[in-house]
Amino acid sequence: MKILGISGSPREGNTESMLNVILNSAKEFGAETKLVSLKDLKMGLCKGDQSCSDTKKCIISDDMDVLVGEIKDADVLLIGSPCYFNNVTANLKVFFDRSNPQYESQAWKGKKVAVVMVGAMEQSAKKGIEVLEDFCVIHGMEVIESYVAEGEKIGEVESNSEVMTELKAIGERLANG
Ligand SMILES: Cc1cc2nc3c(=O)[nH]c(=O)nc-3n(C[C@H](O)[C@H](O)[C@H](O)COP(=O)(O)O)c2cc1C
């Protein structure tokens, strides 16, 4: 079982902690795991050219090409984002828009995906995670886990033992398919 984590946070904070806890737990249960943070990738904004509707290819060549290859190889995706204004981060929105060629070719249809979000206010993050879920559903992916945690400062999520227990359980479930 190959699980690819994708972090949409622009910092090494709660989102990366959540993804690492899930991935480390999945690893303990035999999964092969990798975490990619969008902040470390050079990914240009979608230019709205829309030739990808016909060609199923993006006119931009950058780190998105590498990420698309890694997504193809993964059995399960694990996408995480902090909640920004009841939404995902700009990093993740760039990824959404740049995925239009994969939408056009239905390349990710049927892929299993788990989504997590952290926000200072749980109610707000619950709205934000719907955006993330919608992205996956539009691509025809199967959302198998969806989890929201409350946290603002770096380390806050890690210090919440209930959240840690839940994240480890998600990792176990993902590893077991
Ligand atoms: C620009 C910005 C907008 C934010 N908007 C929200 C929001 O709408 N709702 C919320 O609950 N938290 C909001 N937050 C707080 C973050 O979601 C929270 O600090 C989160 O833990 C950050 O995750 P990270 O440590 O992975 O970056 C915002 C933070 C920033 C920097």
Side-chain angles (χ1 to χ4, degrees), residues 7-18 81-87 89 117-126 149-157:
S7 169
S9 176
R11 66 178 187 176
E12 270 178 46
N14 293 313
T15 306
E16 284 201 24
S17 297
M18 289 172 78
S81 178
C83 177
Y84 276 15
F85 291 93
N86 291 1
N87 213 305
T89 58
M117 182 167 279
V118 56
M121 296 160 290
E122 194 183 13
Q123 282 313 313
S124 179
K126 279 184 175 165
E150 198 172 271
E152 187 169 19
K153 296 186 180 72
I154 287 176
E156 235 177 271
V157 155

Side-chain angles (χ1 to χ4, degrees), residues 106-168:
Q106 292 285 283
W108 298 343
K109 195 173 178 186
K111 198 170 278 284
K112 290 185 174 163
V113 59
V115 293
V116 296
M117 182 167 279
V118 56
M121 296 160 290
E122 194 183 13
Q123 282 313 313
S124 179
K126 279 184 175 165
K127 287 189 179 170
I129 204 163
E130 285 178 16
V131 176
L132 191 42
E133 288 171 354
D134 282 349
F135 164 78
C136 298
V137 169
I138 289 167
H139 269 279
M141 292 190 257
E142 186 191 349
V143 180
I144 55 171
E145 298 278 351
S146 178
Y147 183 72
V148 164
E150 198 172 271
E152 187 169 19
K153 296 186 180 72
I154 287 176
E156 235 177 271
V157 155
E158 274 171 336
S159 62
N160 186 327
S161 59
E162 275 177 38
V163 172
M164 287 297 107
T165 303
E166 189 51 44
L167 295 175
K168 284 175 192 167

Side-chain angles (χ1 to χ4, degrees), residues 18-169:
M18 289 172 78
L19 297 178
N20 276 321
V21 171
I22 294 171
L23 292 176
N24 287 337
S25 165
K27 214 172 178 177
E28 277 179 30
F29 287 93
E32 198 181 311
T33 66
K34 181 172 180 182
L35 178 64
V36 173
S37 178
L38 296 178
K39 69 176 168 3
D40 300 328
L41 305 185
K42 295 256 180 310
M43 216 183 268
L45 298 177
C46 171
K47 292 180 188 292
D49 150 271
Q50 294 200 35
S51 61
C52 62
S53 302
D54 299 322
T55 64
K56 325 288 185 212
K57 285 201 175 107
C58 187
I59 53 167
I60 308 169
S61 180
D62 59 15
D63 287 347
M64 182 68 179
D65 300 330
V66 182
L67 185 54
V68 165
E70 290 183 316
I71 290 171
K72 191 177 178 193
D73 285 348
D75 301 302
V76 178
L77 299 185
L78 168 64
I79 308 177
S81 178
C83 177
Y84 276 15
F85 291 93
N86 291 1
N87 213 305
V88 297
T89 58
N91 308 59
L92 209 49
K93 185 60 168 61
V94 172
F95 167 73
F96 286 2
D97 295 348
R98 289 289 306 282
S99 74
N100 201 51
Q102 286 67 47
Y103 165 71
E104 295 289 354
S105 61
Q106 292 285 283
W108 298 343
K109 195 173 178 186
K111 198 170 278 284
K112 290 185 174 163
V113 59
V115 293
V116 296
M117 182 167 279
V118 56
M121 296 160 290
E122 194 183 13
Q123 282 313 313
S124 179
K126 279 184 175 165
K127 287 189 179 170
I129 204 163
E130 285 178 16
V131 176
L132 191 42
E133 288 171 354
D134 282 349
F135 164 78
C136 298
V137 169
I138 289 167
H139 269 279
M141 292 190 257
E142 186 191 349
V143 180
I144 55 171
E145 298 278 351
S146 178
Y147 183 72
V148 164
E150 198 172 271
E152 187 169 19
K153 296 186 180 72
I154 287 176
E156 235 177 271
V157 155
E158 274 171 336
S159 62
N160 186 327
S161 59
E162 275 177 38
V163 172
M164 287 297 107
T165 303
E166 189 51 44
L167 295 175
K168 284 175 192 167

